């Protein structure tokens, strides 16, 4: 602990600033402070949330701020620990009573959890930072609403996921609290759903004038108490389709009096397949719940990055628990009455159900589902929590299950049977429903299956196309494509981390604002990438940016204004294609998804895309293979090859420079590895000698190795000369051959370009065609 002086109160400001070093602190059991006069304390102390926290601006570089990405401070407050009860409270230094102090303390004095554990209300010996994870937002101030939104990530930590702090989330939600005309949004289109005035007011503030189709269809069923399986295209508002019924139930039940000494149990448990999605759900729901003029539910998000101890504590005050299966199961397995509390949930939400029940998560999800359904007697977790809880009363006494995804995958069932193969077909609604019925213990004999897009999984505003080129020219075509899209926020998907590592510097060398995202990156670097990518948010002219990512970004990322998704590598399965493509054309916006593929890949691509559109084909009395044969579903796009040819010299140079860097880095790593291996063996290691011997050997990959060797042998001077040459090339304008428009290292407006091409009678005016041969794009 920061102090061993148990006489002197520690100013809270100091504590908050030391948060990043807390792992190094000495928790030798000393108390913060002994309140000399409990009576005085009762007059002047308050809970951490009542304090006047102020934001501290953070530096761009976050290395020195390990573990969190936001900081708040408070001045003129002492922290007091009562030795007899162990309670922590706060004392205003000027002796003035802080708001609601007496009231809160009285409440606090009688708020022992039934299992004998204390409800957390501030710092303790092991954690001096007020990481109040689950604070209900109040209507009294924007400040307290924000505290709640920050939820489990602590007061000082706005969020710890890669999407955290993204301007996307900020755009969508945060600005709304201050938006004067938000209240004027006409929400009468929601009325038929019979939502409470509080929820309607929130939706007005969020500027959501009408429900999306999935919301319109699913909310009434969930409100009526039914289990729901909801299928709707990506970006169609599924989060609020389950979020609104949960909020409604919360509002309905909150007025019921609770026993003052009772522990709280959660109302809803939301399972998310990834940490990114979990944090996004948190933000989305918090935005909904904190936009209104009411005390919303407390949300606790359990993903990696927080200590177990803290997470157990967070759960104690949570109304809504969001978690990734692994971490959630870890916390549940730790005991503490958590399982017993979770058994009382009224909603179980399985978001991205097909993914959650596959891809290696299944084991923990199964454990969680089994544990939720186990009877009390059989439950080994009955570890002290009393029945007399502060749970919101259950309306029906049973748990509703809400399951959502844009895709349901046949691979799930095979996975369960241990027969899974890579990939997976999109399965019919019926099959997926049967699977879910068998796996999840629905309360309804027949859960309501709602498929608002039976014909198409893809968003209606999405245009699809493919570009054909030889494999060795993919980089060049990627560059050309990006150059032809002015001021675009583009997501480039690859199938490997290595490809991300190679393509990102290549594009950067070409003066494009590219950044990387893959699971091999440190959490902070991922966060920074997403933040930079989303800069500019929903503004009219979003900052042009390019993210090169693996499929870690394929699901759930809700980033505003992504206009273009490029599949540099073909997606391995149809559902991956749907989810990748779903990062654009969200919430009714337009967007394009373009596959870059070699001639040998085209047939496979057509099959894959036809599979995605199979329902549409059926609606037109066609089999998927017939449709694929006719190539109805995806159009080959025609980039003017003359432009591509003119871009080639710079693209080749940029690639060469990127390869040099990669080869040199690889060499360093190999050298380090070989040197330490040689050291262990007690022999000398000479990298040049080693290289010579290696180059003498024949075998596969020798050509690549030779190239690598040549790259890393380039001297500094040679590299400098290449850079200078590239710089010169990038300065030159490239005549696109259709008008006085030129491509420079910046990008031109492709729409304008195409208009001019059309005027000139060129076919390339169809550059991005719609896929409306079957009327799919009528909307
Ligand atoms: N009724 C509404 N009106 C306008 N925008 C909405 C409405 N409901 C949700 N949105 C917005 O639509 C966007 C997409 O919503 P959401 O992330 O819930 O989509 P999703 O269907 O879960 O997508 P995915 O399948 O890709 O995860 C969000 O930015 C959200 O704020």
């Amino acid at each position: 602990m920061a102090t061993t002086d148990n006489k002197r109160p520690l100013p809270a400001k100091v504590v908050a600033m030391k948060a990043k070093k807390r792992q190094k602190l000495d928790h030798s059991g000393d108390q913060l402070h002994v309140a000399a006069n409990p009576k005085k304390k009762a007059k002047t102390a308050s809970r951490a949330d009542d304090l006047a926290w102020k934001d501290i601006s953070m530096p761009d570089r976050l290395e020195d701020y390990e573990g969190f990405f936001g900081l708040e401070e408070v001045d003129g407050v002492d922290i007091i620990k009562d030795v007899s009860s162990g309670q922590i409270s706060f004392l205003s230094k000027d002796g003035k009573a802080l708001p609601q102090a007496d009231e809160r303390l009285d409440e606090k004095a009688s708020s022992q959890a039934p299992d004998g554990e204390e409800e957390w209300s501030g710092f303790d010996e092991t954690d001096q930072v007020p990481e109040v994870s689950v604070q209900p937002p109040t209507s009294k101030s924007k400040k307290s609403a924000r505290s709640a939104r920050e939820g489990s990530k602590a007061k000082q930590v706005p969020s710890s996921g890669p999407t955290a702090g993204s301007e996307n989330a900020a755009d969508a939600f945060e600005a709304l609290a201050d938006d004067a005309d938000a209240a004027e949004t006409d929400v009468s289109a929601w009325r038929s759903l019979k939502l409470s005035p509080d929820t309607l007011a929130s939706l007005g503030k969020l500027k959501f004038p009408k429900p999306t189709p999935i919301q319109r269809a699913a909310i009434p069923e969930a409100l009526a108490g039914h289990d729901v399986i909801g299928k709707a295209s990506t970006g169609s508002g599924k989060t609020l389709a389950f979020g609104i019924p949960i909020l409604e139930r919360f509002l309905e039940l909150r007025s019921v009096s609770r026993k003052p000494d009772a522990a709280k149990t959660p109302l809803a448990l939301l399972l998310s397949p990834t940490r990114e999605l979990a944090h996004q759900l948190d933000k989305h729901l918090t935005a909904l719940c904190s936009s209104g003029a009411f005390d919303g539910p407390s949300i606790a998000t359990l993903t990696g990055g927080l200590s177990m101890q803290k997470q157990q504590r967070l759960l104690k005050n949570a109304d809504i628990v969001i978690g990734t299966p692994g971490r959630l199961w870890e916390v549940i397995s730790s005991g503490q009455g958590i399982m017993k509390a979770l058994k009382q949930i009224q909603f179980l939400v399985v978001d991205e159900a097909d993914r959650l029940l596959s891809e290696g998560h299944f084991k923990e999800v199964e454990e969680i589902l089994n544990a939720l359904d186990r009877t009390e007697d059989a439950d080994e977790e009955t570890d002290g929590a009393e029945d007399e809880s502060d749970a919101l009363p259950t309306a029906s006494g049973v748990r509703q299950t809400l399951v959502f995804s844009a895709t349901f995958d046949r691979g799930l069932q095979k996975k369960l049977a241990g027969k899974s193969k890579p990939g997976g077909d999109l399965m019919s609604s019926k099959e997926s429903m049967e699977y879910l019925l068998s796996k999840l213990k629905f309360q309804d004999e027949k859960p309501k299956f709602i498929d608002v897009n039976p014909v198409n999984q893809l968003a209606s505003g999405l245009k699809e196309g493919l570009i054909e080129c030889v494999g060795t020219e993919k980089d060049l075509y990627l560059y050309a494509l990006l150059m032809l899209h002015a001021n675009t926020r583009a997501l480039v998907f690859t199938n490997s981390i290595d490809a991300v590592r190679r393509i990102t510097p290549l594009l950067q060398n070409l003066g494009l604002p590219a950044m990387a995202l893959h699971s091999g990156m440190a959490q902070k670097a991922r966060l920074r990438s997403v933040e930079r990518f989303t800069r500019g948010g929903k503004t009219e002219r979003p900052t042009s940016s390019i993210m090169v990512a693996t499929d870690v970004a394929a699901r759930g990322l809700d980033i505003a204004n992504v206009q273009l998704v490029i599949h540099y590598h073909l997606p391995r399965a149809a559902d991956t294609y749907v989810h990748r493509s779903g990062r654009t054309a969200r919430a009714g916006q337009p967007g394009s998804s373009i596959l870059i593929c070699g001639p040998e890949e085209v047939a496979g691509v057509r099959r894959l895309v036809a599979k995605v559109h199979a329902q549409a084909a059926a609606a037109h009395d066609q089999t998927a293979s017939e449709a694929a044969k006719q190539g109805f579903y995806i159009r080959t796009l025609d980039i003017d090859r003359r432009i591509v040819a003119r871009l080639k010299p710079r693209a080749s140079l940029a690639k060469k420079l990127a390869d040099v860097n990669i080869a040199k880095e690889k060499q360093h790593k190999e050298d380090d590895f070989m040197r330490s291996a040689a050291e262990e063996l007690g022999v000398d290691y000479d990298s040049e000698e080693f290289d010579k011997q290696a180059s003498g050997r024949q075998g596969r990959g020798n050509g690549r190795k030779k190239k690598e060797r040549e790259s890393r042998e380039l001297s500094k001077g040679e590299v400098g000369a290449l850079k200078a040459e590239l710089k010169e090339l990038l300065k030159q304008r490239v005549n696109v051959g259709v008008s006085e428009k030129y491509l420079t290292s910046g990008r031109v407006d492709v729409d304008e370009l195409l208009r001019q091409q059309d005027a000139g009678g060129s076919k390339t005016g169809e550059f991005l065609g719609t896929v409306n041969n079957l009327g799919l794009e009528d909307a």
Side-chain angles (χ1 to χ4, degrees):
M1 181 49 226
T3 177
T4 53
D5 174 6
N6 62 2
K7 299 263 164 38
R8 227 182 91 231
L10 184 70
K13 177 174 179 174
V14 176
V15 174
M17 292 301 289
K18 284 184 176 176
K20 68 191 163 99
K21 292 193 174 153
R22 64 183 182 274
Q23 282 143 320
K24 295 179 195 151
L25 297 178
D26 170 17
H27 306 301
S28 52
D30 297 298
Q31 311 299 303
L32 275 168
H33 181 68
V34 179
N37 181 349
K39 271 191 189 156
K40 184 181 170 205
K41 178 201 73 174
K43 278 190 184 158
T44 59
S46 173
R47 296 189 350 166
D49 274 280
D50 297 324
L51 305 178
W53 293 94
K54 287 179 288 188
D55 284 325
I56 298 174
S57 65
M58 299 288 289
D60 287 337
R61 289 179 62 79
L62 295 161
E63 279 78 2
D64 298 337
Y65 287 77
E66 271 184 69
F68 59 90
F69 303 100
L71 204 58
E72 291 181 356
E73 65 176 17
V74 66
D75 275 322
V77 175
D78 287 339
I79 303 164
I80 302 168
K81 179 157 185 170
D82 186 311
V83 272
S84 54
S85 68
Q87 281 182 13
I88 301 295
S89 46
F90 304 91
L91 178 68
S92 152
K93 271 193 170 170
D94 59 14
K96 281 187 194 149
L98 290 163
Q100 302 176 14
D102 297 354
E103 203 183 296
R104 299 280 181 121
L105 276 170
D106 290 347
E107 185 187 301
K108 185 71 206 156
S110 57
S111 67
Q112 291 287 343
D115 60 1
E117 278 195 45
E118 206 181 279
E119 250 192 277
W120 187 82
S121 67
F123 304 148
D124 61 27
E125 297 86 345
T126 53
D127 196 347
Q128 292 79 31
V129 193
E131 298 196 69
V132 185
S133 97
V134 279
Q135 293 301 322
T138 70
S139 54
K140 292 176 193 90
S141 69
K142 182 183 160 217
K143 170 89 195 160
S144 56
R146 193 175 66 228
S147 301
R149 183 173 60 249
E150 286 160 8
S152 62
K153 279 76 65 185
K155 269 210 169 314
Q156 291 80 8
V157 188
S159 190
S160 54
T163 57
S166 75
E167 288 179 29
N168 166 49
D171 295 333
F173 309 122
E174 289 174 9
L176 295 170
D178 291 330
D179 198 334
D181 54 20
E184 287 164 23
T185 304
D186 177 8
V187 289
S188 51
W190 289 90
R191 291 235 168 89
S192 62
L193 302 189
K194 299 195 170 55
L195 304 178
S196 65
D198 278 342
T199 302
L200 287 175
S202 273
L203 292 165
K205 284 221 172 144
L206 288 170
K207 289 189 179 167
F208 292 167
K210 61 177 196 299
T212 64
I214 185 68
Q215 291 162 359
R216 191 184 292 282
I219 290 171
E221 299 294 354
L223 288 178
H226 294 299
D227 292 329
V228 173
I229 301 173
K231 177 173 162 286
S233 56
T234 49
S236 62
K238 292 188 285 295
T239 310
L240 293 192
F242 56 79
I244 290 173
I246 294 173
L247 174 62
E248 282 289 294
R249 181 74 58 82
F250 173 84
L251 293 171
E252 193 185 305
L253 301 174
R254 71 183 161 167
S255 55
V256 181
S257 64
R258 301 176 184 186
K259 297 185 182 97
D261 59 346
K264 198 171 181 179
T265 56
L267 172 71
L269 172 64
L270 279 56
L271 297 178
S272 152
T274 67
R275 185 176 173 175
E276 286 82 3
L277 259 175
H279 288 287
Q280 193 165 285
L281 289 175
D282 183 330
K283 276 186 180 289
H284 211 134
L285 297 183
T286 305
L288 173 74
C289 299
S290 60
S291 293
F294 54 86
D295 287 350
S298 307
I299 301 175
T301 298
L302 309 186
T303 64
L306 293 171
S307 76
M308 283 283 288
Q309 204 183 21
K310 211 174 297 169
Q311 304 206 336
Q312 288 154 357
R313 196 176 56 221
L314 302 183
L315 277 168
K316 287 187 183 167
N317 197 34
D319 296 302
I320 298 175
V321 179
I322 303 172
T324 48
R327 179 49 65 98
L328 192 62
W329 181 240
E330 211 181 335
V331 174
I332 289 174
S333 324
S334 69
Q336 313 280 327
I338 293 165
M339 196 63 242
K340 183 158 184 168
L342 285 177
K343 276 171 190 275
Q344 296 183 54
I345 53 167
Q346 296 182 36
F347 292 98
L348 170 66
V349 177
V350 189
D351 196 17
E352 304 284 351
D354 52 330
R355 169 101 191 261
L356 252 180
L357 298 167
S358 62
E359 292 196 13
H361 280 307
F362 177 68
K363 201 172 158 292
E364 286 114 351
V365 175
E366 191 179 36
E367 302 271 22
I368 293 166
L369 296 178
N370 288 343
L372 285 175
D373 293 325
R374 228 177 357 240
T375 58
E376 287 299 312
D377 292 345
D379 193 347
E380 293 159 14
E381 292 262 336
T382 48
D383 52 359
E386 304 284 329
D387 279 343
E388 293 188 14
S389 72
D390 192 22
L392 292 166
T394 309
S396 56
V398 284
R399 184 182 75 217
Q400 275 177 258
T401 304
L402 310 178
V403 177
F404 284 85
S405 184
T407 52
F408 289 111
D409 187 336
R410 200 195 303 274
L412 287 178
Q413 223 157 346
K414 291 187 179 165
K415 195 113 193 163
L416 288 175
K419 293 179 193 162
S420 64
K421 284 188 200 150
D425 299 339
L426 294 175
M427 67 198 299
S428 74
S429 307
K430 189 167 161 284
E431 283 167 303
S432 59
M433 200 169 155
E434 274 166 15
Y435 164 71
L436 288 163
L437 281 167
S438 73
K439 200 56 229 153
L440 295 164
K441 298 267 186 310
F442 292 104
Q443 48 151 356
D444 284 347
E445 202 179 317
K446 280 196 175 166
K448 300 288 173 189
F449 180 62
I450 297 166
D451 185 352
V452 292
N453 306 97
V455 168
N456 198 2
Q457 276 102 348
L458 296 165
S460 59
L462 184 79
K463 294 176 181 178
E464 301 160 86
L466 72 81
I467 286 176
E468 206 180 312
C469 67
V470 293
T472 49
E473 291 202 324
K474 273 195 173 187
D475 292 342
L476 174 60
Y477 274 80
L478 171 65
Y479 175 48
L481 196 49
L482 290 168
M483 288 288 281
L484 286 165
H485 280 73
N487 299 320
T488 301
R489 184 169 285 169
L491 238 169
V492 180
F493 282 104
T494 76
N495 285 350
S496 75
I497 292 178
D498 274 355
V500 175
R501 288 187 175 137
R502 192 181 59 73
I503 295 166
T504 312
L506 163 72
L507 297 178
Q508 286 166 345
N509 288 345
L510 287 161
L512 298 180
M515 53 215 74
L517 184 73
H518 59 74
S519 59
M521 287 162 67
Q523 190 62 35
K524 277 185 285 180
R526 282 168 72 161
L527 177 71
R528 270 199 298 272
S529 261
V530 176
E531 272 177 354
R532 279 167 54 215
F533 183 55
T534 55
R535 211 164 278 165
K538 271 190 173 168
T539 52
E540 296 234 323
R541 291 191 69 77
T543 320
S544 159
S545 55
I546 299 158
M547 180 179 276
V548 186
T550 57
D551 284 326
V552 75
R555 284 212 188 216
L557 273 191
D558 181 43
I559 295 173
N561 278 324
V562 174
Q563 294 116 316
L564 178 62
V565 166
I566 300 175
H567 308 259
Y568 178 91
H569 286 138
L570 302 186
R572 293 194 175 106
D575 62 335
T576 310
Y577 176 73
V578 171
H579 288 281
R580 279 182 178 182
S581 303
R583 296 317 98 207
T584 185
R586 296 177 73 74
Q589 295 298 306
S592 306
S593 166
I594 301 176
L595 296 131
I596 304 182
C597 51
E600 71 289 354
E601 293 173 315
V602 173
V605 165
R606 289 196 180 283
R607 267 199 307 279
L608 180 133
V609 178
K611 222 178 266 174
V612 171
H613 291 285
Q615 308 289 352
H620 288 77
D621 295 328
Q622 281 184 311
T623 62
S625 65
E626 278 167 353
K629 259 185 230 151
Q630 293 179 32
F632 270 147
Y633 299 107
I634 194 149
R635 174 174 298 203
T636 300
L637 308 170
D638 203 5
I639 292 191
D640 188 331
R641 311 251 154 183
R642 286 167 305 173
I643 301 177
V644 176
R646 289 178 197 129
L647 294 173
K648 196 169 182 173
R650 56 177 73 185
S652 306
L653 257 183
K655 181 172 170 3
K656 194 165 184 178
L657 278 165
D659 288 349
V660 168
N661 259 349
I662 292 168
K664 285 187 188 283
E665 266 174 33
K666 196 171 164 194
Q667 176 69 29
H668 285 313
K669 276 188 197 150
E670 271 173 15
D671 275 356
D672 286 350
F673 174 80
M674 294 302 285
R675 213 164 274 125
S676 54
E679 249 173 54
E680 269 180 36
L681 292 169
V683 296
D684 289 334
Y685 168 63
D686 179 337
S687 66
E688 279 176 26
E689 186 57 30
F690 187 82
D691 273 358
K692 251 188 246 162
Q693 286 178 16
S695 64
R697 284 179 222 129
Q698 296 296 316
R700 278 186 73 198
N702 253 12
R704 182 176 47 83
K705 281 189 183 139
K706 189 171 165 230
K707 265 194 180 165
E708 271 178 22
R709 202 169 42 251
E710 283 165 7
S711 288
R712 66 173 181 255
E713 278 168 3
L714 282 186
S715 68
K716 265 192 181 167
E718 286 167 320
V719 173
L722 287 178
K723 280 185 181 166
E725 195 185 336
L726 178 60
K727 203 171 163 189
E728 278 311 305
L729 278 177
L730 289 177
K731 273 189 209 159
Q732 289 170 22
R733 304 200 302 177
V734 176
N735 187 343
V736 296
V738 288
S739 72
E740 68 280 7
K741 272 272 181 192
Y742 287 89
L743 296 171
T744 64
S745 55
R747 288 178 276 168
V748 299
D749 182 340
V750 76
D751 292 334
E752 174 61 20
L753 175 66
L754 294 175
R755 268 195 296 278
Q756 291 168 19
Q757 285 180 310
D758 272 345
S762 162
K763 268 188 164 180
T764 49
E766 293 181 335
F767 174 67
L768 262 186
T770 56
V771 208
N772 60 1
N773 311 53
L774 290 176
L776 295 176
E777 303 289 334
D778 287 341

